[in-house]
Amino acid sequence: MVSYGTDLAVAYHQIGAYTGRILKGEKPADLPVQQPTKFDLVINLKTARALGLQVPTSILLRADEVIE
């Protein structure tokens, strides 16, 4: 019904940057660990309605994606 997680497009971009640095000769052990910088909130209203739940408007306004 609700998912809050990293934005996969941004994560794939970070993976590409890491891969480029490794291919240029940097050692993987020397690369810093990066934390996700962008998160997405996705709400599935169809599932919420099927469960008889109402999602507050304030949460719906904050959602990055709402599935009807």
Side-chain angles (χ1 to χ4, degrees), residues 6 10-11 14 16 25 27 29-30 33 36 38 40-41 43-44 51 53 61 64-65 67:
T6 60
V10 174
Q14 288 178 334
K27 293 181 181 180
D30 294 338
V33 174
K38 184 169 184 309
D40 284 337
L41 174 63
I43 300 173
N44 190 328
L51 294 172
L53 302 172
L61 292 174
D64 296 297
E65 182 180 350
I67 300 169

Side-chain angles (χ1 to χ4, degrees), residues 1 4-5 10 18-19 25 31 36-37 44 47 54 66:
M1 180 182 86
Y4 184 71
V10 174
Y18 261 50
T19 303
L31 296 176
T37 56
N44 190 328
T47 302
Q54 286 196 342
V66 177

Side-chain angles (χ1 to χ4, degrees), residues 20-27:
R21 291 174 69 176
I22 292 169
L23 291 174
K24 288 180 182 175
E26 290 188 53
K27 293 181 181 180

